[in-house]
């Protein structure tokens, strides 16, 4: 509670403490120290200036230790090229077919099994590696498009998800600009997806990023739209062209009147503001028919296209166009 003064400035002291009891069931000193260190980190994450008392069998502690183990695996994947991209088409509903895709990062395990992002992205977000994954995705997409100019020509746009943690780094915007310039990729070939939570949490930085990249031709989508319901108040502040209706409303909209009403409300507001609407998690024809009636412009989901290797999606434009056309008949 006692502040101290240094060079005419007053500083307040904070203290985060992690405690693990030593019991008859404790294993060894190293494990106890690791558990105490994790408890201390939890105290910091919960707001600092507090004490967290835990034990070696604590579920939250175990979950945190599991996430820490993912850090090494993520770093190894980045270093040893154990990451790859899949892509899922974003299908126009009421107009002629075009190729617009969202890229999805995947990891390969030790035995080359595919690891979905739900397993490793939470750890990357929590411990500050998400921005490295974002940069890898952007660079990989641009490198492929640069080497496959014919694919880039018929590609309408490639959607890339951006973590809110990337905006913690001042050089991120310049990195994107430099990557586009180095690979000679037009900005209009990329659409950056940012969740409404990340956008609102990093309001000034996101606005600046969008303004700068808009000048380079890039477009933007606000992802998971409608979940927080705070996005309606902030929507006018972001130069976004696309709103992605959160899949939690879309998945069961054919049978759930409340979900259907939410999709309709989000669509009506988006259309009024001149935005393009994308419905995620479209998994049956009935939902697609409802979206058509509402005038939603794009649909995305397993009913229309299951994710496949990014390179394969862009290799056969004619074949993919026919698939899209059949889905809309």
């Amino acid at each position: 509670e006692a502040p101290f003064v240094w060079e005419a400035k007053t500083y307040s002291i904070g203290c985060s403490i992690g405690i693990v009891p030593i019991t008859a069931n404790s294993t060894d000193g190293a494990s106890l120290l690791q558990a105490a260190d994790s408890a201390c980190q939890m105290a910091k994450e919960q707001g600092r200036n507090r004490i967290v008392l835990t034990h070696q069998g604590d579920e939250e502690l175990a979950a945190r230790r599991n996430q820490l183990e993912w850090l090494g695996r993520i770093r190894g994947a980045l270093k040893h090229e154990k990451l790859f991209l899949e892509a899922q088409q974003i299908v126009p509903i009421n107009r002629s077919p075009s190729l617009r895709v969202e890229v999805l990062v995947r990891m390969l395990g030790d035995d080359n099994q595919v690891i979905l992002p739900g397993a490793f992205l939470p750890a990357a977000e929590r411990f500050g590696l998400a921005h490295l994954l974002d940069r890898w995705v952007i660079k990989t997409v641009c490198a492929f498009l640069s080497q496959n100019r014919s694919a880039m020509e018929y590609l309408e746009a490639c959607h890339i998800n951006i973590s809110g943690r990337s905006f913690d780094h001042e050089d991120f915007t310049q990195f994107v600009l430099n990557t586009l310039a180095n690979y000679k990729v037009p900005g209009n070939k990329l659409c950056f997806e940012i969740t409404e939570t990340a956008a609102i949490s990093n309001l000034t930085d996101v606005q600046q990023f969008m303004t700068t990249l808009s000048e380079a031709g890039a477009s933007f989508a606000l992802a998971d739209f409608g979940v927080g319901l705070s996005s309606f108040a902030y929507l006018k502040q972001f130069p976004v062209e696309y709103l992605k209706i959160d899949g939690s409303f879309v998945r069961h909209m054919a049978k759930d009147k409340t979900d259907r009403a939410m999709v309709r409300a989000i669509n009506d507001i988006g259309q009024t503001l001149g935005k393009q609407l994308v419905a995620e998690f479209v998994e049956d024809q009935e939902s697609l028919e409802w979206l058509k009636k509402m005038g939603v412009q794009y649909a995305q989901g397993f009913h229309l296209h299951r994710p496949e290797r990014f390179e394969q999606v862009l290799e056969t434009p004619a074949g993919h166009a026919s698939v899209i056309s059949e889905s809309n008949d």
Side-chain angles (χ1 to χ4, degrees), residues 60-89:
E60 185 176 358
L61 193 67
R64 193 180 191 284
R65 187 177 296 119
N66 181 57
Q67 288 191 331
L68 283 170
E69 291 173 356
W70 275 111
L71 290 186
R73 299 184 69 176
I74 294 169
R75 291 192 179 103
L78 287 164
K79 182 178 180 180
H80 301 295
E81 299 183 358
K82 288 286 190 177
L83 296 173
F84 70 94
L85 294 177
E86 289 191 335
Q88 185 176 42
Q89 293 182 50

Side-chain angles (χ1 to χ4, degrees), residues 28-242:
D28 57 81
S31 297
L32 284 166
L33 285 172
Q34 185 182 45
D37 181 63
S38 294
C40 186
Q41 293 297 325
M42 288 164 61
K44 292 179 181 179
E45 292 167 6
Q46 291 175 14
R48 300 181 180 270
N49 282 335
R50 65 190 62 215
I51 298 170
V52 168
L53 172 65
T54 186
H55 56 85
Q56 284 184 278
D58 186 276
E59 290 185 4
E60 185 176 358
L61 193 67
R64 193 180 191 284
R65 187 177 296 119
N66 181 57
Q67 288 191 331
L68 283 170
E69 291 173 356
W70 275 111
L71 290 186
R73 299 184 69 176
I74 294 169
R75 291 192 179 103
L78 287 164
K79 182 178 180 180
H80 301 295
E81 299 183 358
K82 288 286 190 177
L83 296 173
F84 70 94
L85 294 177
E86 289 191 335
Q88 185 176 42
Q89 293 182 50
I90 299 172
V91 181
I93 297 177
N94 290 308
R95 67 172 177 81
S96 58
S98 62
L99 187 60
R100 177 178 290 270
V101 301
E102 177 184 352
V103 291
L104 309 161
V105 64
R106 305 287 192 249
M107 181 189 293
L108 290 174
D110 294 335
D111 56 356
N112 283 331
Q113 84 278 17
V114 176
I115 302 173
L116 298 179
F120 60 88
L121 280 187
E125 289 276 354
R126 185 170 187 176
F127 298 110
L129 292 185
H131 76 103
L132 296 178
L133 293 174
D134 285 353
R135 293 177 190 227
W136 180 88
V137 172
I138 293 167
K139 186 174 180 180
T140 301
V141 167
C142 288
F144 177 82
L145 294 179
S146 177
Q147 295 167 8
N148 297 270
R149 292 284 165 178
S150 59
M152 185 166 65
E153 287 298 319
Y154 64 76
L155 175 69
E156 186 174 282
C158 181
H159 287 230
I160 298 176
N161 291 281
I162 302 296
S163 164
R165 300 298 294 271
S166 284
F167 299 106
D168 296 338
H169 300 266
E170 293 181 359
D171 67 331
F172 180 66
T173 300
Q174 193 59 49
F175 165 81
V176 178
L177 291 172
N178 291 345
T179 303
L180 290 170
N182 291 341
Y183 289 102
K184 296 181 174 57
V185 174
N188 64 358
K189 294 299 179 179
L190 300 184
C191 177
F192 295 101
E193 293 194 9
I194 304 170
T195 66
E196 60 167 315
T197 304
I200 293 168
S201 300
N202 304 273
L203 188 60
T204 302
D205 293 332
V206 170
Q207 285 176 323
Q208 186 174 15
F209 175 78
M210 287 184 173
T211 299
T212 303
L213 267 298
S214 291
E215 294 172 357
S219 56
F220 301 91
L222 208 55
D224 301 340
F225 191 80
V227 176
L229 296 180
S230 56
S231 36
F232 295 115
Y234 287 92
L235 190 53
K236 292 182 180 179
Q237 301 185 44
F238 298 115
V240 298
E241 291 88 346
Y242 302 90

